[in-house]
Amino acid sequence: MRSILQILLFLSLAICSIARAEQADNMPTSVQARIEAVQLPRVSFDAMPLGQALETLAAMADAQGMPVNLVRLAPKGEEPKLTITLREMSLERVLYYVASSVGYRCEMEHDAVVLRPVSEPGTMLKTEFFAVNRSALVRMTGISPLEEGKAKKDGNGAAMQAEVEAATRAFLERAGVPFDSVPGASLALGAGQLIVTNSSGNIERVRDILALYGKIRQVQIEARFLEVGQADLEEFGLQWGFSNLATARGKDSVLTVGSGNRTLSSAFGGSSVSNEILITGLDESVGDNGTISQIVNAPEISGGIDIGTGAAALASVTGYVGDFNVEAVVNALARKSGNDLLSAPKLTVLSGERAEITVAQEMIYPRSFGNMESSVSRGSSYSGGGAAVAVTAGTPKDFTTRNVGVEMAVTATVEDDGSISLTLEPCVTEFEGFVEYGGPSVAVAGSTTVTVPSGFYQPMFSVRRIRTEVTIDNGATVVMGGLTREETVKVKDKVPLLGDIPLLGRLFRNEGESTQKKDLIVFITARIVGSDGLPVAE
């Protein structure tokens, strides 16, 4: 009989051990998880001492299989009395309201929940080391690694480190983690570690925040630029003129008649008269009538509209008819040209950060010039006591760079619902030509005069720019078009009345038209990618 009782006692103990083991396996390991799991339908205290109220709450937690240590730490003295009634709350929220109602604060320790007065000096602090990635710091502070790298390169690494620490601390304070109001609290950053000294409760808040912001969110941007350019030029005309040979026959009168029709090149091309270095009054041995001239034109860079500059005439006829010298020039030109620019850059950027894409040529030009100097002095440089001439051009300085082509800045932000918000700023810049600033300079010595143009050329650019914000699904594509530019120049010169005669009037007209059109279409595809570089499921 005794053996049977011993066996039954052993089996009951084994069953209890198994039950306790199963209960332990299902029990949350952290104190925070336990007080969140305990749900209290009703709690009511009427002038109950705080210590006794904590014992009651601990017993309620034990009844639900979630044992929790609730500890009150306070100097010796009168214990506060608690009067409060709460319904349908977790133990975590009940402890928050209990502590707040009596001027205490609630802190999570490793194995207990501690309540201590808010005004208690020398609050127990805890130091924790958190591994933090660069992505989390960028999202919290807004300071990009490019800014940090530039600061280190300039020798300002320590100042930038202090700025990142201050920005991180300010962010955590805005998120509800106090530092200034907790004596002895501090924050330091180094070697991929965030070192935080604060109360246990605040340490847990920092942990939760870093767990959220530590998730790597980055976006892969794939851009496709398609620019199509087309230029058409057509021109046909006749320029003619005749003059009599009265002078050759000893007569006083001379008759000259011409059409004077213009071509596209002469109608829209720049004038070189003001860009001529002219020296007059020198000895005739140096040039016709003692004059030297030198044309100084602006640099020529392709990109402007085609006006047929440099195209030769189709035919030129010169001859004599009786007493007249006859000249005729036939201008005929038809030209078509086009270009396609296709570029497909791809890059990955952190969520919320700005990325830039450039498909362009760099144009370097000066923003200012030194003084241009010219002087004339009488001397023995030329036979017969000529003049010495010195011309010193202005020195270009303060150079700057301008991209000519396609540029785009994009900021991609991953939203909580998995969509992607994009801020797109495409810009197309084209070179138009040069503008000369300043007037000519004149130097005079006796009968010798030097006229020098300013020669200060500055480029002109045309810009097409769009800024827009859109939200798209993961993997979707945004299309931007309408960045079209079309430019047309025309010339139509004719001799009055004669130019209107059917058929025959074509001999008295010169017509030309040049059209240049450029159209840019931009396709932007955005995908969320993980730290392994693989796209997240769309």
Side-chain angles (χ1 to χ4, degrees):
M1 185 69 179
R2 185 176 180 181
S3 299
I4 295 174
L5 292 175
Q6 290 177 342
I7 293 173
L8 293 175
L9 179 61
F10 175 78
L11 289 175
S12 63
L13 292 175
I15 293 172
C16 291
S17 299
I18 294 173
R20 284 197 299 270
E22 291 179 352
Q23 183 180 11
D25 290 339
N26 297 327
M27 184 186 302
T29 57
S30 68
V31 175
Q32 178 73 34
R34 292 182 191 179
I35 63 175
E36 289 177 357
V38 174
Q39 297 293 323
L40 303 178
R42 186 175 185 276
V43 174
S44 180
F45 301 116
D46 184 12
M48 181 179 292
L50 179 59
Q52 185 178 347
L54 294 180
E55 291 179 2
T56 303
L57 293 175
M60 294 176 138
D62 288 340
Q64 297 189 22
M66 297 289 177
V68 179
N69 294 317
L70 303 181
V71 181
R72 169 183 170 267
L73 295 180
K76 293 182 179 181
E78 183 178 354
E79 184 177 5
K81 297 185 183 305
L82 178 65
T83 300
I84 192 172
T85 300
L86 301 171
R87 294 178 178 82
E88 298 297 336
M89 281 191 181
S90 67
L91 179 57
E92 178 193 25
R93 298 300 295 167
V94 170
L95 289 173
Y96 170 78
Y97 286 112
V98 166
S100 300
S101 64
V102 294
Y104 276 55
R105 66 168 173 267
C106 188
E107 297 180 357
M108 302 296 163
E109 299 288 353
H110 175 69
D111 52 1
V113 180
V114 179
L115 277 74
R116 53 166 51 94
V118 174
S119 59
E120 177 187 349
T123 300
M124 183 181 298
L125 300 181
K126 180 180 179 182
T127 299
E128 189 82 11
F129 293 80
F130 298 98
V132 59
N133 56 52
R134 180 61 57 185
S135 171
L137 287 177
V138 170
R139 295 175 63 192
M140 291 189 296
T141 65
I143 301 175
S144 70
L146 295 177
E147 296 178 69
E148 295 186 53
K150 184 177 183 301
K152 292 179 180 179
K153 184 178 180 181
D154 297 338
N156 300 322
M160 176 56 71
Q161 177 79 3
E163 183 178 348
V164 175
E165 289 181 356
T168 305
R169 176 169 173 161
F171 173 82
L172 292 175
E173 287 184 339
R174 291 194 302 271
V177 181
F179 283 89
D180 294 337
S181 61
V182 179
S186 65
L187 179 146
L189 181 65
Q193 295 283 331
L194 188 64
I195 307 170
V196 180
T197 299
N198 213 314
S199 64
S200 298
N202 291 332
I203 290 291
E204 293 302 321
R205 293 189 186 95
V206 173
R207 193 187 312 279
D208 294 339
I209 293 171
L210 293 181
L212 175 62
Y213 278 80
K215 297 178 181 178
I216 298 178
R217 289 185 172 185
Q218 51 192 8
V219 182
Q220 183 185 82
I221 302 295
E222 183 177 356
R224 288 185 175 88
F225 299 92
L226 177 61
E227 184 180 38
V228 179
Q230 181 178 348
D232 298 322
L233 185 149
E234 292 186 2
E235 184 175 15
F236 182 82
L238 176 66
Q239 300 184 43
W240 53 266
F242 64 88
S243 59
N244 68 346
L245 304 178
T247 304
R249 298 178 181 274
K251 297 181 180 180
D252 294 333
S253 61
V254 177
L255 177 62
T256 302
V257 179
S259 63
N261 293 333
R262 300 170 301 167
T263 63
L264 282 171
S265 178
S266 62
F268 298 99
S271 174
S272 62
V273 175
S274 61
N275 294 327
E276 182 179 12
I277 298 178
L278 184 63
I279 306 175
T280 61
L282 299 176
D283 189 277
E284 293 186 4
S285 62
V286 301
D288 296 338
N289 300 321
T291 299
I292 297 177
S293 65
Q294 178 66 46
I295 302 299
V296 181
N297 289 326
E300 293 185 5
I301 300 179
S302 60
I305 190 169
D306 185 11
I307 55 176
T309 303
L314 178 63
S316 178
V317 180
T318 303
Y320 298 95
V321 178
D323 291 340
F324 293 93
N325 179 18
V326 180
E327 296 180 358
V329 178
V330 180
N331 297 308
L333 179 63
R335 181 184 294 169
K336 291 182 179 293
S337 60
N339 67 285
D340 293 339
L341 170 63
L342 176 61
S343 180
K346 182 186 295 186
L347 56 87
T348 302
V349 62
L350 289 175
S351 173
E353 292 301 298
R354 177 186 175 97
E356 296 182 355
I357 300 173
T358 301
V359 183
Q361 295 175 317
E362 284 191 348
M363 182 176 183
I364 302 176
Y365 61 93
R367 292 185 293 180
S368 62
F369 294 82
N371 294 329
M372 176 178 286
E373 299 178 358
S374 61
S375 62
V376 180
S377 60
R378 308 299 298 181
S380 57
S381 299
Y382 300 96
S383 60
V389 179
V391 178
T392 303
T395 304
K397 53 186 179 181
D398 296 333
F399 284 84
T400 187
T401 302
R402 181 72 175 266
N403 289 329
V404 179
V406 179
E407 300 175 276
M408 189 181 70
V410 54
T411 302
T413 304
V414 180
E415 304 295 349
D416 292 338
D417 60 356
S419 61
I420 304 174
S421 294
L422 297 174
T423 300
L424 304 172
E425 301 176 66
C427 177
V428 181
T429 304
E430 295 176 284
F431 171 74
E432 291 294 318
F434 288 96
V435 174
E436 184 180 12
Y437 292 92
S441 302
V442 179
V444 180
S447 61
T448 304
T449 303
V450 179
T451 303
V452 182
S454 67
F456 299 151
Y457 296 104
Q458 291 295 292
M460 293 189 304
F461 303 95
S462 66
V463 179
R464 289 174 284 166
R465 180 183 290 113
I466 290 178
R467 188 183 189 280
T468 184
E469 297 183 8
V470 297
T471 299
I472 61 175
D473 291 333
N474 182 21
T477 300
V478 178
V479 181
M480 291 181 292
L483 293 175
T484 303
R485 183 185 179 189
E486 184 172 358
E487 184 178 358
T488 302
V489 294
K490 297 180 180 180
V491 63
K492 185 175 181 179
D493 288 357
K494 64 180 179 180
V495 178
L497 300 180
L498 296 179
D500 296 326
I501 301 176
L503 299 179
L504 184 61
R506 198 66 184 88
L507 301 177
F508 301 93
R509 296 198 304 267
N510 191 89
E511 297 179 0
E513 179 177 337
S514 180
T515 301
Q516 180 172 281
K517 182 179 180 180
K518 291 186 177 180
D519 191 7
L520 176 67
I521 303 176
V522 183
F523 302 86
I524 303 296
T525 302
R527 296 183 179 89
I528 304 174
V529 297
S531 58
D532 55 0
L534 298 177
V536 176
E538 300 176 6

